Amino acid sequence: MQGNGYTKQYYPKNSGIGRITTTFGSMEELFVYSGSSLNYLTKYSGQEHMCGIYMLDQGDGNSEYIMSSVFTGEPNNVIIPYIASTFAAEGYTNKLSNMYHGAQVQYLGILHSHPSRESHDGKYDNNQEFSWGDAVAAAISGKIWLTTQDGSMYALDRERAMPIIWPGLIRDAAVRYSNDLHAKGVKWEDYPQWLKDYWPNIRKH
């Protein structure tokens, strides 16, 4: 990474860092390669990364799978590159179709990586849970994938994503409010009762 001018202190956010389009004979091959690549970049930088996943059908009964350019996100999301890639998906699909002489190309969604973290009791946390932002992405795209630092792969489709969104939004709002109170020096006993009642729903790290 340092050969590209990137260091842990000066690592780009919400930017494209790889412009090579790579083709694979199966989804498994794609996930093994792209998952390890994204995990390496995430471990190095502490930021989420993502790439688009496309399926190529040349009409001979066989399908190939394409990993698009890699994009950096931020420590807790890849919202900006996801939005950009979603808007660009149609144009990129047409570009791939032309590159492969009129083949049918389908945008399947994104694969993204989460950094691991340390939980509130000092234990390793694989960070494999989908956030409400992930759920929104799955609701829009139909399906997304997540790779974690231990090499595991998870999928979230639209049907399972919808129930995650509102509870996740509420939880994040409660966490932000709690952090704001803490920063102001408000003691736990002076927290609003609704926040105390809701606290068991907040997973502390």
Side-chain angles (χ1 to χ4, degrees):
M1 296 306 298
Q2 291 179 348
N4 293 324
Y6 303 147
T7 67
K8 294 181 180 180
Q9 292 74 26
Y10 300 99
Y11 195 87
K13 291 182 171 63
N14 303 315
S15 304
I17 61 170
R19 300 296 181 184
I20 299 175
T21 298
T22 309
T23 306
F24 302 88
S26 69
M27 285 283 279
E28 182 179 3
E29 291 177 5
L30 182 148
F31 283 141
V32 168
Y33 177 85
S34 56
S36 62
S37 298
L38 298 186
N39 282 332
Y40 169 80
L41 295 170
T42 289
K43 183 177 182 179
Y44 179 84
S45 66
Q47 297 174 193
E48 294 191 15
H49 288 71
M50 62 149 283
C51 63
I53 305 296
Y54 295 79
M55 182 175 69
L56 174 68
D57 180 2
Q58 301 202 55
D60 58 0
N62 297 314
S63 296
E64 293 182 303
Y65 298 88
I66 297 174
M67 168 190 175
S68 73
S69 301
V70 174
F71 292 86
T72 69
E74 299 183 19
N76 296 314
N77 69 77
V78 283
I79 292 175
I80 293 177
Y82 168 73
I83 293 173
S85 70
T86 300
F87 279 111
E90 182 176 356
Y92 192 69
T93 297
N94 292 336
K95 178 181 178 180
L96 289 173
S97 181
N98 291 332
M99 286 175 57
Y100 290 93
H101 309 291
Q104 295 295 316
V105 180
Q106 180 183 355
Y107 173 60
L108 300 181
I110 68 162
L111 169 65
H112 75 296
S113 55
H114 281 180
S116 60
R117 55 196 179 190
E118 190 175 282
S119 64
H120 68 283
D121 57 1
K123 295 181 179 179
Y124 174 81
D125 180 356
N126 197 40
N127 195 13
Q128 74 270 18
E129 295 182 356
F130 288 102
S131 68
W132 67 265
D134 293 336
V136 170
I140 294 172
S141 298
K143 193 170 187 177
I144 66 169
W145 291 267
L146 165 66
T147 180
T148 54
Q149 290 298 301
D150 67 351
S152 298
M153 192 75 63
Y154 303 88
L156 181 66
D157 59 25
R158 180 178 289 118
E159 182 178 358
R160 292 191 300 116
M162 298 306 293
I164 296 175
I165 296 173
W166 282 113
L169 279 168
I170 294 170
R171 178 195 176 280
D172 277 11
V175 169
R176 286 195 298 270
Y177 185 50
S178 174
N179 290 340
D180 185 55
L181 293 176
H182 180 75
K184 293 178 179 177
V186 177
K187 297 181 179 179
W188 170 256
E189 54 266 27
D190 296 324
Y191 275 35
Q193 188 59 46
W194 70 265
L195 186 56
K196 293 180 181 179
D197 294 340
Y198 183 76
W199 195 255
N201 297 303
I202 297 176
R203 182 184 177 190
K204 293 183 288 184
H205 298 282

